[in-house]
Amino acid sequence: MQQIIYSVAQLNRAVQRSICEHVGMRGLVLVRGEIGSLRISGSGNGRPLVFFNLHDGDEALSCVSFGRQLDQVLTCDRQTGEVFSPPRTIEDVFVNERKVICEGMLGTYTRRGQSLFQLSVHSITDCGAGDRLARFRQLRDKLQRLGYFAVERKRPLPENPTSIALVTSPTGAVIHDFLRTIEDRGLGLRIKLFPVRVQGDDAGPEIASAVQAAGHDPASQVIVLIRGGGSEEDLACFNDECLAKAIFESPVPVLTGIGHEVDMSLADFTADVSASTPTKAAQVLLSPRVEIARGLARTGMDLAKAFAALLARHESALAATEAMLRAVSPRTRWQQGCRDVDDLAARLIQTGTRLLRSQEDELRQLTLAAGRALTTRVQLTESELDSLAMRLARRGLFHLDNKSGQLEACRKSLERAGRDFVQAMAASLETTSLQLEAASPLKPLQRGFALIRNEEGRLIRSAGSVQQGETVHLVVADGSIEAVVSQSRLAEQEA
């Protein structure tokens, strides 16, 4: 086999091809290490170049990032999938002694006449941030399954509330920015501060307790949780599970304004409304008084127009109703009735006159006919009466003779029956009188007996029905005697 003689450049390219074929995936490798020997310089076109070493014990790997590769490092993290808008600064990403995972292309370069290899970095992931991100994603997925982030459970904020529960640090600048923003907003406001720490390992449970206390305050209409910007470590307390649970269970709506626009936490996901910044939270919660005044003015104008339109409609309806009522009013109906009565009276007079004349003619004719018929009838009746009178005289004499004999016989029979009835009634009356006299209760009184009555008038039939000292009345034949019982004895006791 013939030995190949390489030039330095050829050898560097051969090493580059070998690295691409056998190291990583098409030259892309992931390297874990600690940033050191950081140096930032500018290129000829004014864009920065970042040089640093990745240390692993006593060994080091030379790294560089510039141009489009540096832009990728600052705008996204290829390992976690995060996109940063606006882009991160170089100082945020490249920090000495920070443990990172670098993704890049391994290649060769020449420095001071020597051939070296280095890693051209495309992406940097903070190892600590990666662990936090994994925990964050795990907790986020858990809370999402529990419905903490469901849109349908989120409540709207009250419009321009008058009582706010503010959960934040009392010493930070963010509370002053918030108060300064709401100075010319809303329609009078009562703010109750629930002071908490907004950074540190114990801050999450402390904030959760404050949110619970604010939710149980009967004066709270809305809870506002705000915090200024900071690093991921500073904002980690807002990813606490107990804080998300407190927001989820809050009986009143919760508004969050945590960090900058790019910062999102589990508290933001769980809150009913999440603003990008604390200032934006104040703007979302309260409307400027100028806009409220303009809105009130517009509402007043709309109300005036609506009232004018309503008044016009009612006026037209009233006019139509008035015309209808005028048409059916009692006066109109009375006037029309008067006219109808006058017409009917005139027609009645005319008809009555015609009828009267016709009736007069008929009456005149009937009078003449009746006179003639009456004369004829009287003549016939007179002749009939004469005939009947003669017949009645003859028949009356015959019946009178017969009835006289019958009347005399009846008179005698009636006299006999009356005498017999009177005699029978007299005998019966005498018998009844004797019976009544024998049964009279007064009869024994004439023989010396007496009737005894108590004070209530009831008869006393037994010696046991009276008591000693009781007043009794004795009824005798010719009057009554009043006595007082001194002693009463029963017949059996005497025996």
Side-chain angles (χ1 to χ4, degrees), residues 155-167 178 189-192 194 211 214-215 217-225 250-256 272-273 281 285-286:
R155 299 157 292 189
L157 298 178
E159 185 175 0
N160 292 313
T162 57
S163 180
I164 294 177
L166 182 61
V167 181
F178 182 83
L189 189 61
R190 173 184 174 272
I191 300 177
K192 184 174 181 180
F194 291 82
V211 170
D217 187 349
S220 298
Q221 293 178 280
V222 62
I223 299 174
V224 179
L225 175 59
S250 172
V252 298
V254 178
L255 168 65
T256 58
D272 296 282
V273 179
L285 185 63
L286 299 169

Side-chain angles (χ1 to χ4, degrees), residues 415-427:
E415 286 179 353
R416 288 193 299 270
R419 284 193 299 269
D420 295 340
F421 178 76
V422 170
Q423 291 174 359
M425 289 294 104

Side-chain angles (χ1 to χ4, degrees), residues 167 196-197 202-215 225 237 240-247:
V167 181
V196 293
R197 291 177 296 167
D202 298 330
E206 183 178 342
I207 298 173
S209 299
V211 170
Q212 291 175 348
L225 175 59
C237 59
D240 194 286
E241 183 176 2
C242 64
L243 174 57
K245 182 178 180 182
I247 295 175

Side-chain angles (χ1 to χ4, degrees), residues 7-36:
S7 67
V8 174
Q10 289 174 339
L11 182 58
N12 285 338
R13 284 193 294 272
V15 171
Q16 180 71 43
R17 286 194 301 270
S18 178
I19 291 173
C20 291
E21 293 175 0
H22 299 94
V23 179
M25 180 179 294
R26 296 183 181 180
L28 283 175
V29 294
L30 294 173
V31 185
R32 182 193 301 270
E34 184 178 294
I35 296 176

